[in-house]
Amino acid sequence: MTSDLVIVANRLPVDRIELPDGSVGWRRSPGGLVSALEPVMREDGGAWVGWPGSPDEELAPFEHDGVTLVPVVLTSEDVEEFYEGFSNATLWPLYHDVVAKPEFHREWWDAYVRVNRRFAEAAASVASEGARVWVQDYQLQLVPQMLRELRPDLIIGFYLHIPFPPAELFSQLPWRRQILEGLLGADLIGFQLPEASGNFVRLVRTRVGHKTHRDRIFLPDDRTVRAAAFPIAIDTAGYESLARSPEVEERVQEIRDAAGGRRIFLGVDRLDYTKGIYPRLRAFGELVSEGHLALEDVMFVQVATPSRERVGEYKRMRDEIDRLVGRLNGDLGTIRYPLISYLHSSYPREEMAALYRAADVMVVTPYRDGMNLVAKEYVACRLEEDGALVLSEFAGAAEELRQAWLVNPYDINGIKSALLEAYGAEPKELQRRMRAMRRTVLEHDVASWALSFMEALASGPGEHLKPLRPARKK
Ligand code: GDG
C-alpha cells in the first residue's frame, strides 16, 4: 500500500500505551501538528513516517485512526548520536543564537547522515507515484535531497519549526554546505518568519552559489525552489472549547482557591535553556524582594515539562533553575505563601487550559524561539478578553502578538518593568490588547497554516509542480 500524502517527522504521532489486557496499544499524541495534519491525512489516505520513541524497536507499518504509520528504527547509538547529539546538542543551540555552545563531533554528523537516509528510504517506500511528501524539522534536513535522488517524481515540502540562523552563526557548522544542499532537495521550504527564509536564501546564494530572486532559488538542473514564511498557529477553536468546558471551569476555581486569592503569574515551557525561565524568575523574585510586589498578593506558577534529560546542557540548566527556585522560596517564601510553585512534570491539556484561564499574567521570555505556541494558547483561552501577556521580542509569536508587553529577555530590569505594568494594567487596557490578540489567533489557526503550505506546495514554482500529481519523469 502506498500513499498520496506522506508526512516525515522525527516522531510518530502516537504514544505507546498499555491496554487493560496488558497488550500494547497506541494513542494519538497531544500536539498541534498532529491535530492539524490528521484530518488532511485521513482524507488523503495519508502515511506518517517516524520513530516510535524507544530505541531498538523494530515494528512493521500499521494503521491507526485511518493513517498508515511507518516506524523507523533508531538504535541506542542513533538516539545518542543523531537525536541527543547532532540534533539537540549541535543544531538546536546553533539555530537558537548559540544560547548554549554547540558541540561539533564528526561521529554525530555520520549518525545524522545515516539516520536521515533511513527516513528517506522509508518515505520512498511508502509514497505513491507523484505523491506529496512533507518533511518536518531540523532533525531531517538531509531527507529532501536524499528522497529526491531516490524518487524524482515526488513533490517535496520541508518545514523548519525552529529559527534559521544568520550566516555568521550558520557558517560555524562544518557541514553547512551539505545541510543547505539537503534542504534544496525540496520544492518548497517553509520557515516560521521571513527573516529565517531570508537568511536561508542569502546563504544559498553566497555559500552554494545558486542564483536567487526574492524567495526563489534557481538550481542548475532547471528546478526552482521556493523558500518562504508560513508562521505556525494553534487549534484555536479546540483550545477555546476546552477552556469553556465545565471540567476546566471547575479546575480553574480549584487553582484560584489554592492560590488563596493571590494573583497568578504563569510560565509554561519545556525545560529548555532557550526558553528564558531563569531571567523571568529572577525578575519576579527581585520585584518581591524589593517590595514592588507583596508576597501576600502574588505567586508564580512555573510548569517546566521534562525534556531531553540526558543532554548535558539540559542537566546543567535544570540544576541552575532548581537552585534559583530553592533560593527564592527559601529567602522570600513563608509557610502560608511559598513564592514559586515549580512543577517539573507534564500535564494533560485540560490542566494547561485551566492554568491559562487562572493566570493573570502569562510570562513567555525565550532568548530565541521559532514561534512559541504557549503564548498563542494563552490568548486562545482568555475567553473574557482579560489577562496580560508578557512576551519576548525574540519569539516568533512577537511578530503577530504586537499587543503583548514585549520584552528583551536579556534585560532583567526591562522584564521587571513589563511585569509590573502588566500586573497593574487597567481592565480596559487589558481588554484592548487581548481583544486584538484574540483576533489574530482566531484568524490564523493551524488548519489554515497547514492548508496554505499544502496549497503553495501544489502550485509551486517548479515546472514539474504544475499538476498536483504529475506522472513520474523518465
Ligand atoms: C517547537 C519550537 C514552535 C508544554 N508542556 C506541556 C504541554 N506543553 C505544550 C504546550 C505547547 C507545546 O507543548 C510547546 O510548544 P512551543 O511552541 O511553546 O515550544 P517547542 O516545544 O520548543 O516547539 C517552537 C513549535 O515547535 C511549533 O512549530 O512554536 O518555537 O521551538 O503546545 O502547550 N502540553 C501538555 N502538557 C504539558 O505539560 N499537554
Side-chain angles (χ1 to χ4, degrees):
M1 259 284 281
T2 58
S3 297
D4 289 342
L5 174 63
V6 181
I7 303 292
V8 189
N10 180 50
R11 284 294 306 270
L12 284 177
V14 290
D15 293 322
R16 175 193 288 284
I17 48 165
E18 199 179 308
L19 297 173
D21 66 356
S23 64
V24 169
W26 299 92
R27 184 182 47 208
R28 201 178 96 169
S29 13
L33 186 63
V34 181
S35 38
L37 297 176
E38 256 201 12
V40 194
M41 307 251 314
R42 254 188 253 140
E43 232 168 75
D44 279 35
W48 189 304
V49 175
W51 175 45
S54 43
D56 301 305
E57 190 169 27
E58 292 206 32
L59 290 171
F62 59 99
E63 291 282 313
H64 186 269
D65 266 357
V67 177
T68 308
L69 302 181
V70 184
V72 173
V73 184
L74 292 194
T75 65
S76 328
E77 200 182 16
D78 295 333
V79 172
E80 221 172 278
E81 297 182 345
F82 155 78
Y83 178 70
E84 294 166 348
F86 200 79
S87 298
N88 288 321
T90 306
L91 294 173
W92 180 267
L94 181 71
Y95 281 31
H96 285 90
D97 274 5
V98 298
V99 173
K101 196 169 162 44
E103 286 185 48
F104 302 117
H105 299 295
R106 286 165 285 182
E107 341 51 279
W108 289 2
W109 166 253
D110 294 341
Y112 190 75
V113 176
R114 171 174 85 225
V115 173
N116 270 251
R117 179 153 300 123
R118 209 174 296 150
F119 275 85
E121 282 163 359
S125 73
V126 75
S128 54
E129 183 83 21
R132 290 163 297 158
V133 180
W134 192 4
V135 184
Q136 307 288 326
D137 228 0
Y138 62 101
Q139 303 92 346
L140 301 177
Q141 293 172 100
L142 304 179
V143 169
Q145 184 191 30
M146 290 171 168
L147 188 55
R148 181 165 298 284
E149 277 162 17
L150 293 166
R151 291 287 304 274
D153 59 300
L154 300 176
I155 298 177
I156 304 172
F158 180 91
Y159 189 78
L160 186 69
H161 291 257
I162 66 174
F164 192 84
E168 298 72 34
L169 298 180
F170 186 79
S171 302
Q172 289 181 11
L173 189 65
W175 308 279
R176 57 201 181 191
R177 184 164 177 142
Q178 289 96 313
I179 295 274
L180 295 173
E181 285 177 344
L183 289 168
L184 287 171
D187 298 294
L188 174 65
I189 309 172
F191 297 88
Q192 300 275 19
L193 300 182
E195 191 189 353
S197 57
N199 286 344
F200 176 75
V201 172
R202 251 188 316 280
L203 267 156
V204 164
R205 194 168 54 237
T206 54
R207 290 267 165 219
V208 193
H210 293 319
K211 285 210 173 67
T212 68
H213 177 65
R214 296 178 184 218
D215 63 358
R216 309 283 148 135
I217 299 153
F218 306 102
L219 305 191
D221 65 359
D222 276 351
R223 265 192 330 118
T224 303
V225 175
R226 185 170 166 225
F230 296 83
I232 202 165
I234 58 162
D235 173 13
T236 310
Y239 271 97
E240 275 195 330
S241 65
L242 192 63
R244 204 172 268 132
S245 69
E247 298 78 2
V248 168
E249 288 273 1
E250 201 176 302
R251 183 65 191 137
V252 172
Q253 206 42 57
E254 281 172 20
I255 295 171
R256 289 207 177 117
D257 290 348
R262 291 182 292 168
R263 308 264 294 277
I264 298 173
F265 289 66
L266 175 67
V268 171
D269 310 80
R270 274 188 310 97
L271 187 43
D272 193 297
Y273 51 80
T274 60
K275 300 291 182 184
I277 298 172
Y278 193 93
R280 84 177 67 136
L281 295 180
R282 279 261 328 249
F284 183 75
E286 285 184 18
L287 287 174
V288 173
S289 71
E290 290 162 3
H292 300 290
L293 292 174
L295 188 62
E296 308 75 50
D297 295 336
V298 293
M299 71 177 298
F300 204 112
V301 177
Q302 175 66 53
V303 175
T305 313
S307 181
R308 306 175 192 167
E309 294 185 291
R310 294 182 352 160
V311 179
E313 281 293 335
Y314 288 77
K315 289 188 197 144
R316 269 191 288 285
M317 180 210 41
R318 182 173 174 196
D319 288 346
E320 206 175 78
I321 293 182
D322 282 353
R323 269 200 305 277
L324 178 66
V325 170
R327 207 179 67 220
L328 291 174
N329 277 339
D331 288 353
L332 302 167
T334 61
I335 292 181
R336 183 150 183 215
Y337 298 125
L339 183 65
I340 296 166
S341 182
Y342 178 65
L343 309 167
H344 182 245
S345 296
S346 173
Y347 294 92
R349 274 178 86 225
E350 291 72 17
E351 182 71 1
M352 294 288 125
L355 282 167
Y356 290 145
R357 281 205 62 178
D360 299 284
V361 183
M362 181 81 217
V363 194
V364 182
T365 51
Y367 292 118
R368 179 61 72 188
D369 215 330
M371 176 54 64
N372 195 290
L373 299 181
V374 166
K376 292 186 171 181
E377 290 163 5
Y378 177 70
V379 171
C381 290
R382 303 309 298 190
L383 305 167
E384 262 108 57
E385 300 184 330
D386 58 357
L389 175 64
V390 174
L391 178 61
S392 163
E393 57 191 71
F394 303 133
E399 294 296 311
E400 293 167 83
L401 304 178
R402 304 303 302 170
Q403 298 80 9
W405 273 270
L406 294 178
V407 294
N408 169 0
Y410 294 95
D411 172 11
I412 305 253
N413 283 346
I415 302 179
K416 284 166 74 178
S417 321
L419 291 179
L420 269 188
E421 268 185 42
Y423 174 73
E426 295 294 328
K428 262 201 128 65
E429 171 74 359
L430 292 174
Q431 190 189 47
R432 182 185 66 76
R433 292 179 184 241
M434 190 53 76
R435 187 174 280 171
M437 292 193 287
R438 287 182 58 75
R439 209 172 300 131
T440 307
V441 300
L442 280 163
E443 269 167 25
H444 303 284
D445 72 354
V446 74
S448 63
W449 168 79
L451 195 69
S452 67
F453 187 91
M454 279 303 176
E455 279 175 3
L457 185 60
S459 62
E463 263 312 295
H464 71 296
L465 285 181
K466 285 204 177 109
L468 195 60
R469 282 171 196 140
R472 189 193 288 248
K473 275 192 176 168
K474 296 279 181 257

